[in-house]
Every structure is written in structure tokens, then in C-alpha cells.
């Protein structure tokens, strides 16, 4: 069967500085959508990347006394790490400084020129370097850039121009006939009324007063305007104008292009016109989401820790941050970000609603059934409402996701969580146990565990880590057939007799520390649920592991990519290892036994789900296994024969 394809893109980010949490918003949303489509059976291609040319980057590099390429390389690797921290599952990451892109952009420019869409003239007008945008006198607002409010510069230089006028009628026609093309609808009206109706000017598409860009192939004094260069990434990444256009055939036109509202103009006027000039179809949907704002205004990196995504992830975990971004703000509208609001959401939705459902269910299951899921017994009308909601909820979520309504989709899921919590109160399992209504108690407990499984599956695209933790507790971590969208189609997919294993609280409540108002995680006695299963107690008292406990250790094959000494730490080495395509940094105490050079390339055994720690201030995310004897010898545990990295070890 041929799978339906789904191509989704984010804007490509300027690597002019580290990104803030507002930037992460677009990418987290795109990732949730990509994961959702994969989960529901699509052949997904998810593209993100970096927009590395232009005057803004050149100036920033100059300020720092660096070559632009060296400067962007540093920020780009930081961005890639950030996406890893936030579990962004992109299929391709395009950098506009890559050869595959540069060559294709030159071909595109040449084609435009040859077909008479581009002509040479002189540009005299205003330029906003932070936005890399040209403005006419009339468009300025109090002499400043109407988008970012910053000062503009007067530019007068020879340039190539693109004849927008040639295509504008076709564009208007397309927008009118395809009401879903520009979303939300308010942005469509803004484009037509503010930019198209007053008369669309030809666009200046080359610059001569700086060098950091792709040269015009037939006139190398000119570099190609950074927006023409950048917009085409969505097709150059698919191989447009290369010797292999298979991906282009397969995925173009894009199903959804996600962008922030200030760049809607570039994506719904210039981009479709470029595509028309290339004879390519237009994307199905361009969605301009709102901004994440701080209480005192626009977000910027200079606002410090509170907007630093790395710090926020370290403090709260990536799933919590993802949840907040997707749930708090209605996609399309502006929203506010503050740590107080974040903590509030985490406490109410994650610790209370979701956490309590799991904890209460697990505690009762332990008490009444030694943690083993009973088969359903006697049913009652109360069950029907829960089951009915469980079976209709996934379709509702699918419809909301198709409209990119992430917050409403999560609200729908939380209605079901609330229903399940209410079901506990209504059925009062403790009373059933007391009255020895065993058969009824079996049904109630089964229905609750099955409801939690359904919740975990729906949660996966939004919070990719939490379901794994739930599945470990439910004892179904290895049963991947119970993790699929199809498996929640009918209530009752969970087999009876599964042995559950309570673990750590998913989301302990957070409190404000009072010190500078920064919220911190307060450990409580309840943080750990003590397993009450007799069998578990028995194996623990004998010092043995149950198979379920062992299964919680995620052992993988990894390959050492780089190794380096750590200044001031004789025994430690800093390693980068590849685990199934994911790069992990680990600090290992093996410097007395291996030199960095002999480690590179080795296939080792690696604990992939160890809580990250800091050693000498350096983050270590995982652990490699080594054998040591009492004479101080140490050897790494390696695989007996080559096998793919990421392979699981059991
Ligand atoms: N390089 C251009 C895009 C080229 S696409 C062909 C660019 N880069 S950017 O790094 O400045 O912004 C990337 C994205 O982050 C944009 O969609 C922008 O709207 C988004 N955001 C930047 N700040 C934001 C918030 N505070 N809130 C939400 N999104 C924000 O523009």
C-alpha cells in the first residue's frame, strides 16, 4: 500500500545568536504535527534548518571578529543540540551554506533571468537589516521598520529586480480560490489589503554592498537577496534542480508551512510568486502563528534565563516545556510566557490531572491485585460513558490536529483524563474492595489502566518522553503493538495479566522558591511510589532484579565519534557518541586506560536512559559500560561484531 505523504516545514532560523523559547515554539509545533502524522500512518518529511547568509549575519560575525562561516558553524551546532534537547524529530536539516542549496539557488536565479522575470536597475530606498527587508518611504512607521520598529538604513545601489507585477493577478486568484492557503484567515486579509491592493512593487533580489551571500552566477559582484536564497530552501532540500529530484516528486507541494506572523508576507506573496515562476505547485497551507510575548513585551535573547530554552529544559524537562507551549497558547494568537504560568500549568494539568490518574490507579492496582492487571468482570452503565469517550476522542483529536489546533487537541485529551479521574470517584474502588465486589472491582481497575494506556498513546506526539515512562510503569514498555494509534481504535486492547511496576512520580508538584521568584522542583516524600507488589518485594529482598526492572534500563549499541581530554580532570574524557543517529555527550572516567585517539570509532554498549548529570560542570547524558578487575585493569564492553548503532542490547 502506498502511504499518503505529509511534508511540513518550519522557517529556517537565522544563526545570528542563540535562539530563545519563542523560536522554539514554531519548531515544537511542527514536531508535534510531524509526530502525529507519522503516528496516524503518513509518510512524513519534516524539514527545518538555518538561514545563514545576509548582511545581518555578516555584521554580527564582524562584530565578533570571526569569519562568517566559522561564526555560523558554532551557532548552528548549538541549534542542533537545542532541537535534540527538545526532541525535535526533523527528517532533514538544511543549511543555506551547503553546496546542495547554493548550486540550486544559482540555477533558480539563472532561470528567472533567462525567462525575463529578472532585470537590472537601481535600488533606492530603505532597508531593515534585522528583518533583511526592503521598505518604501510610505511603508515606514515613524521612520522605523514597520515589522520590528528598529531604525532602517537608506540604501542606493545597482540591483536586480524580480517582476512581481507579472504574477500578482494569478496570486490573488489563487488566494481567493484556495481559502485554506493562508491561515488564519485574518492574515490573508492583511496581505491582500496592506500589501497587494496598494500595488505590489517589484522586489529587489540582489545586493552589492556586502559579500556574505550566494553570488549571482552571471554577475558575481552581486549576491542574491537573502530572502530569495532562504525561501527556496523548502525545495532545494528536496533536491530541486539537482540530479536527484525523487524527494521533490514525492513530497512537493508542502502540506503545511509553519511560520511566525511577521514573515507571512514573504511566505504568501514572494514565495508563491517564485514558485509560479518556476512552474511548481503552491503549498497547501501556510500557517502564520502568533508570538510568544513576555509580560513586559517582545521576547529577545537579552531578557536572560527566563527565555533561554536550554535552561528551561534543564529546569523543567523537555516534555513539560513542549506541553506548556502547545497547550497554553491557541495556535494563531499571541500568548504570554512566564515561569509562573508554566509552573501553574505543570502543577494543575501534569501533576494533578495526569499524575494523579496514574498514581491513584497504580496504588489501587498494587493494593487489590498485586499490580497485575485483572481481566474485566462485571460491567455497569458507568463504564459505558468512559468507553464511549475513549473511542470518540481520537477522531476528535485528529480533526483538531488537521486544523493545527494543538491547544484544543490537548484540551480534548484532558477532558478524557478528567473523565477517568471522575470515574475513580464514582466507582469508588476502595468500597468495592471492602464489600468484596471482586468482579466489579476487576472491571473498574481494568478500565482505568486501559484508559491510561489510551491517554499515553494520544500524548506521544506532544510529549514524546512521558508515554515511555507510563509504559514502563504499566509493564508494556516492550509491547510496541500497544503503543500505536491503531491499538486505541477499540477500547480493550490491553491484555489482562500484565504485571505493572510503579515508578517515580511523573510530575512532582513544583513550588515557588521565593528566591527571585524562580520556581523549583520540591522533592516530597511522595516522589517515589513504593512498589507494594509482593513479588517485587521478594526479589528486592533477595537482591535480585525482576525482568521488568531490568527492562527499564535502555541498553544500546553506540559508536564513539569524538573523544577529548578535560582540562583539570586527569581521569575523565569527554566523548560524543552516536546512538542510532542521535548524538550524545558523555563524560567517562577512562582517561587512565584509553587515549582519545584509540576510542574513536569503537562500538560500545551504552546506557541510554540514565538521568543526565554534570561532571566537572560538563553535561553527561548516558553511560558507557566497561569491565574492571581488582588489579585496576579496565576494558570497554564492545560488540562482538559490527551492528547498527542504536541497536538495543538485551
Ligand atoms: N530566517 C528567517 C526565516 C526564513 S524562512 C525561509 C527568520 N528567522 S528567525 O530566526 O528570525 O525566526 C524564525 C521563526 O521564529 C519565525 O517564524 C519567527 O516568527 C519565530 N519567532 C521568533 N520569535 C518568536 C516569538 N517570540 N514567538 C513566536 N515565534 C517567534 O525569520
Amino acid at each position: 500500500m502506498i502511504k499518503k505523504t505529509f511534508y511540513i516545514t518550519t522557517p529556517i532560523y537565522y544563526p545570528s545568536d542563540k535562539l530563545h523559547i519563542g523560536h522554539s515554539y514554531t519548531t515544537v509545533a511542527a514536531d508535534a504535527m510531524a509526530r502525529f502524522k507519522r503516528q496516524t500512518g503518513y509518510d512524513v518529511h519534516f524539514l527545518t534548518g538555518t538561514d545563514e547568509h545576509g548582511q545581518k549575519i555578516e555584521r554580527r560575525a564582524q562584530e565578533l571578529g570571526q569569519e562568517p562561516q566559522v561564526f555560523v558553524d558554532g551557532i548552528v551546532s548549538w541549534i542542533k543540540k537545542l532541537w535534540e534537547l527538545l526532541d525535535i524529530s526533523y527528517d532533514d536539516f538544511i543549511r543555506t551554506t551547503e553546496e546542495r542549496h547554493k548550486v540550486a539557488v544559482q540555477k533558480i536565479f539563472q532561470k528567472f533571468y533567462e525567462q525575463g522575470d529578472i532585470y537590472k536597475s537601481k535600488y533606492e530606498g530603505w532597508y531593515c537589516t534585522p528583518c533583511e527587508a526592503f521598505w518604501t518611504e510610505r511603508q515606514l512607521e515613524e521612520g522605523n521598520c514597520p515589522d520590528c520598529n528598529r531604525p532602517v538604513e537608506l540604501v542606493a545601489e545597482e540591483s536586480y529586480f524580480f517582476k512581481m507585477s507579472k504574477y500578482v493577478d494569478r496570486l490573488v486568484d489563487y488566494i481567493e480560490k484556495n481559502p485554506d492557503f493562508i491561515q488564519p484567515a485574518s492574515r490573508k486579509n492583511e496581505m491582500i489589503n496592506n500589501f497587494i491592493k496598494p500595488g505590489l512593487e517589484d522586489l529587489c533580489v540582489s545586493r552589492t554592498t556586502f559579500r556574505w551571500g550566494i553570488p549571482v552566477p552571471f554577475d558575481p559582484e552581486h549576491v542574491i537577496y537573502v530572502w530569495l536564497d532562504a525561501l527556496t530552501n523548502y525545495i532545494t532540500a528536496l533536491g530541486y534542480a539537482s540530479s536527484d529530484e525523487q524527494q521533490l516528486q514525492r513530497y512537493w507541494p508542502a502540506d503545511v508551512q509553519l511560520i511566525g506572523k511577521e514573515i507571512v508576507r514573504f511566505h504568501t506573496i514572494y514565495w508563491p510568486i517564485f514558485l509560479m515562476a518556476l512552474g511548481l505547485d503552491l503549498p497547501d497551507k501556510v500557517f502564520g502563528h502568533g508570538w510568544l510575548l513576555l509580560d513586559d513585551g517582545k521576547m529577545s535573547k537579552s531578557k536572560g534565563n527566563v527565555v533561554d530554552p536550554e535552561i528551561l529544559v534543564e529546569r523543567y524537562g523537555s516534555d513539560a516545556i513542549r506541553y506548556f507551549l502547545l497547550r497554553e497558547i491557541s495556535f494563531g494568537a499571541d500568548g504570554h510566557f512566564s515561569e509562573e504560568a508554566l509552573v501553574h500549568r505543570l502543577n494543575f494539568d501534569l501533576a494533578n490531572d495526569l499524575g494523579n490518574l496514574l498514581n491513584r490507579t497504580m496504588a489501587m492496582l498494587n493494593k487489590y491485585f498485586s499490580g497485575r492487571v485483572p481481566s474485566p468482570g462485571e460491567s455497569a452503565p458507568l463504564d459505558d460513558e468512559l468507553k464511549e469517550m475513549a473511542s470518540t476522542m481520537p477522531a476528535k483529536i485528529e480533526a483538531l490536529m488537521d486544523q493545527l489546533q494543538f491547544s484544543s487537541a490537548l484540551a480534548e485529551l484532558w477532558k478524557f483524563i478528567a473523565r477517568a479521574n471522575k470515574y475513580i470517584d464514582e466507582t469508588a474502588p476502595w468500597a468495592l474492595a471492602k464489600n468484596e465486589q471482586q468482579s466489579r472491582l476487576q472491571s473498574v481497575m481494568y478500565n482505568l489502566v486501559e484508559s491510561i494506556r489510551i491517554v499515553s498513546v494520544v500524548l506521544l506526539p506532544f510529549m514524546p518522553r512521558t508515554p515511555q515512562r507510563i509504559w514502563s510503569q504499566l509493564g508494556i514498555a516492550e509491547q510496541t503493538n500497544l503503543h500505536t494509534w491503531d491499538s486505541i481504535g477499540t477500547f480493550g486492547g490491553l491484555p489482562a495479566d500484565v504485571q505493572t511496576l510503579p515508578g517515580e512520580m511523573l510530575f512532582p508538584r513544583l513550588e515557588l522558591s521565593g528566591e527571585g521568584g524562580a520556581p523549583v522542583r520540591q522533592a516530597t516524600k511522595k516522589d517515589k511510589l513504593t512498589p507494594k507488589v509482593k513479588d517485587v518485594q521478594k526479589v528486592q529482598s533477595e537482591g535480585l532484579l525482576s525482568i521488568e526492572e531490568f527492562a527499564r534500563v535502555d541498553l544500546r549499541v553506540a559508536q564513539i565519534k569524538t573523544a577529548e581530554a578535560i582540562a583539570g580532570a586527569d581521569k575523565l574524557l569527554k566523548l560524543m557518541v552516536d546512538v542510532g543517529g542521535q548524538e550524545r555527550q558523555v563524560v567517562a572516567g577512562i582517561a587512565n586506560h584509553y587515549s582519545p585517539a584509540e576510542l574513536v570509532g569503537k562500538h560500545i554498549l551504552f546506557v541510554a536512559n540514565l538521568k543526565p548529570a554534570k561532571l566537572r560542570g560538563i553535561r553527561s547524558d548516558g553511560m558507557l559500560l566497561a569491565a574492571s578487575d581488582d588489579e585496576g585493569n579496565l576494558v570497554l564492553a564492545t560488540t562482538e561484531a559490527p551492528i547498527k548503532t542504536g541497536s538495543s542490547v538485551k
Side-chain angles (χ1 to χ4, degrees):
M1 195 178 73
I2 299 173
K3 277 195 187 175
K4 247 190 113 184
T5 58
F6 186 79
Y7 182 30
I8 182 162
T9 65
T10 71
I12 48 171
Y13 293 83
Y14 290 126
S16 51
D17 207 337
K18 288 186 175 178
L19 305 184
H20 55 62
I21 194 71
H23 294 113
S24 312
Y25 180 56
T26 324
T27 312
V28 164
D31 183 68
M33 194 64 198
R35 285 176 185 270
F36 181 74
K37 286 290 176 183
R38 284 189 203 112
Q39 189 184 30
T40 49
Y42 285 75
D43 165 9
V44 172
H45 195 71
F46 169 20
L47 175 72
T48 189
T50 39
D51 182 359
E52 305 186 10
H53 292 123
Q55 195 161 13
K56 166 155 114 170
I57 302 279
E58 189 183 86
R59 283 198 186 153
R60 189 83 184 101
Q62 269 163 5
E63 278 163 25
L64 298 169
Q66 289 182 9
E67 281 301 316
Q69 189 66 59
V70 174
F71 166 65
V72 291
D73 284 351
I75 309 257
V76 171
S77 57
W78 180 88
I79 292 177
K80 285 188 170 174
K81 290 238 171 63
L82 175 65
W83 295 156
E84 207 174 290
L85 275 181
L86 280 163
D87 294 315
I88 305 300
S89 61
Y90 57 78
D91 295 293
D92 193 4
F93 187 106
I94 183 143
R95 301 184 55 180
T96 55
T97 50
E98 281 174 75
E99 234 17 63
R100 62 168 169 160
H101 176 75
K102 292 195 285 191
V103 171
V105 171
Q106 287 189 321
K107 286 188 186 162
I108 289 170
F109 201 94
Q110 183 89 39
K111 179 174 163 68
F112 288 160
Y113 187 66
E114 281 168 11
Q115 64 193 28
D117 289 334
I118 281 179
Y119 62 93
K120 201 176 198 176
S121 182
K122 189 166 181 208
Y123 179 77
E124 277 190 56
W126 299 94
Y127 195 74
C128 173
T129 304
C131 296
E132 299 281 15
F134 297 97
W135 296 107
T136 59
E137 182 84 37
R138 177 176 56 80
Q139 289 170 319
L140 299 182
E141 278 174 14
E142 294 173 8
N144 288 331
C145 168
D147 273 354
C148 74
N149 251 323
R150 281 177 276 210
V152 286
E153 296 165 53
L154 193 58
V155 174
E157 61 192 59
E158 184 185 65
S159 294
Y160 285 93
F161 284 79
F162 188 98
K163 284 185 195 161
M164 290 290 155
S165 44
K166 186 171 155 191
Y167 296 94
V168 73
D169 291 344
R170 271 173 65 191
L171 176 65
V172 172
D173 190 51
Y174 185 86
I175 294 176
E176 299 296 352
K177 290 199 174 120
N178 295 277
D180 285 347
F181 172 54
I182 307 178
Q183 293 279 310
S186 55
R187 309 231 190 272
K188 166 182 139 184
N189 303 334
E190 188 190 337
M191 288 305 116
I192 299 210
N193 298 333
N194 297 1
F195 295 102
I196 300 180
K197 276 202 181 141
L200 188 60
E201 320 235 346
D202 288 351
L203 179 71
C204 177
V205 287
S206 76
R207 304 285 313 272
T208 51
T209 46
F210 67 95
R211 296 308 315 145
W212 183 238
I214 303 175
V216 169
F218 47 86
D219 194 352
E221 287 302 298
H222 291 247
V223 294
I224 296 173
Y225 173 43
V226 65
W227 270 101
L228 195 165
D229 165 352
L231 286 163
T232 57
N233 89 88
Y234 303 125
I235 53 173
T236 63
L238 298 179
Y240 178 79
S242 77
S243 56
D244 179 2
E245 290 195 340
Q246 271 183 55
Q247 285 202 321
L248 187 81
Q249 308 304 342
R250 187 157 147 197
Y251 296 115
W252 191 259
D255 294 82
V256 178
Q257 301 211 262
L258 289 188
I259 50 168
K261 63 180 183 181
E262 83 285 13
I263 55 174
V264 169
R265 182 167 64 102
F266 297 96
H267 283 82
T268 60
I269 299 180
Y270 304 137
W271 176 224
I273 286 183
F274 292 150
L275 285 167
M276 285 175 182
L278 293 173
L280 290 175
D281 287 338
L282 306 199
D284 287 353
K285 192 180 282 186
V286 176
F287 196 108
H289 65 71
W291 279 340
L292 210 58
L293 302 166
L294 294 176
D295 288 337
D296 59 353
K298 235 180 143 179
M299 197 168 273
S300 72
K301 188 75 183 97
S302 60
K303 304 266 168 141
N305 287 359
V306 53
V307 299
D308 186 328
E310 249 183 325
I311 292 178
L312 289 167
V313 169
E314 192 167 329
R315 193 175 282 168
Y316 301 100
S318 61
D319 269 10
I321 300 295
R322 288 172 63 112
Y323 177 77
F324 178 81
L325 293 176
L326 296 167
R327 176 68 184 93
E328 183 80 3
I329 304 134
S330 156
F331 206 63
D334 286 347
H336 282 259
F337 179 84
S338 71
E339 274 192 274
E340 283 73 13
L342 172 68
V343 166
H344 191 264
R345 273 258 169 231
L346 304 189
N347 280 346
F348 280 83
D349 299 3
L350 301 183
N352 280 6
D353 299 342
L354 175 61
N356 278 347
L357 175 63
L358 180 70
N359 298 338
R360 290 165 86 192
T361 304
M362 294 297 276
M364 290 188 292
L365 200 64
N366 276 330
K367 191 161 171 191
Y368 308 133
F369 295 100
S370 301
R372 202 169 275 281
V373 178
S375 44
E378 184 192 330
S379 59
L382 259 182
D383 304 350
D384 297 338
E385 204 185 316
L386 181 78
K387 290 186 191 174
E388 161 74 12
M389 207 165 168
S391 52
T392 52
M393 181 253 300
K396 286 187 190 163
I397 294 209
E398 208 161 347
L400 289 164
M401 288 298 277
D402 278 339
Q403 297 162 40
L404 296 145
Q405 290 308 317
F406 302 99
S407 179
S408 307
L410 282 167
E412 200 59 45
L413 176 60
W414 252 254
K415 270 193 220 160
F416 180 63
I417 293 175
R419 185 69 199 83
N421 271 320
K422 194 165 154 224
Y423 179 79
I424 300 182
D425 303 335
E426 289 167 341
T427 54
W430 47 91
L432 296 173
K434 199 169 159 203
N435 300 334
E436 294 180 2
Q437 290 173 267
Q438 185 67 11
S439 174
R440 183 71 196 118
L441 181 62
Q442 282 179 221
S443 291
V444 168
M445 293 315 302
Y446 178 87
N447 290 343
L448 283 170
V449 182
E450 173 65 343
S451 297
I452 292 172
R453 183 184 74 90
I454 292 171
V455 168
S456 67
V457 170
V458 178
L459 204 54
L460 193 63
F462 306 95
M463 301 171 76
R465 287 171 189 240
T466 303
Q468 307 287 345
R469 296 170 66 202
I470 297 178
W471 296 331
S472 293
Q473 296 203 20
L474 297 189
I476 57 167
E478 298 298 313
Q479 286 161 262
T480 48
N481 59 320
L482 299 176
H483 309 165
T484 64
W485 190 257
D486 287 346
S487 77
I488 59 167
T490 26
F491 194 91
L494 178 74
D497 260 2
V498 168
Q499 179 63 53
T500 63
L501 187 85
E504 276 188 357
M505 262 197 177
L506 287 185
F507 296 98
R509 279 187 73 82
L510 307 175
E511 284 170 21
L512 293 174
S513 71
E515 291 160 29
V520 290
R521 197 176 283 280
Q522 301 266 313
T524 68
K525 270 194 195 157
K526 286 189 196 149
D527 261 6
K528 278 213 169 126
L529 280 181
T530 328
K532 287 185 189 152
V533 189
K534 280 193 210 111
D535 290 352
V536 174
Q537 281 174 344
K538 186 163 169 268
V539 289
Q540 278 173 351
S541 66
E542 290 169 4
L544 300 174
L545 282 180
S546 70
I547 190 74
E548 287 84 358
E549 282 175 296
F550 178 71
R552 296 189 58 209
V553 182
D554 189 12
L555 271 183
R556 302 275 168 173
V557 173
Q559 189 183 23
I560 302 180
K561 293 290 179 192
T562 61
E564 57 181 276
I566 297 175
D570 299 348
K571 292 186 185 154
L572 301 180
L573 289 180
K574 185 169 99 178
L575 312 174
M576 292 305 293
V577 302
D578 172 279
V579 192
Q582 211 190 52
E583 255 197 349
R584 294 282 199 90
Q585 174 174 296
V586 270
V587 177
I590 54 173
N592 291 343
H593 306 276
Y594 290 92
S595 70
E598 32 173 349
L599 287 168
V600 175
K602 275 194 193 306
H603 282 79
I604 52 160
L605 304 190
F606 185 75
V607 183
N609 61 341
L610 200 66
K611 210 168 160 186
K614 277 201 170 159
L615 295 169
R616 299 286 176 113
I618 301 173
R619 188 183 157 91
S620 183
D621 194 6
M623 184 173 83
L624 42 84
L625 296 186
S628 54
D629 63 16
D630 47 14
E631 287 163 23
N633 298 310
L634 180 145
V635 289
L636 281 177
T638 54
T639 58
E640 193 265 332
I643 185 163
K644 270 202 302 209
T645 73
S647 301
S648 73
V649 181
K650 289 178 197 152

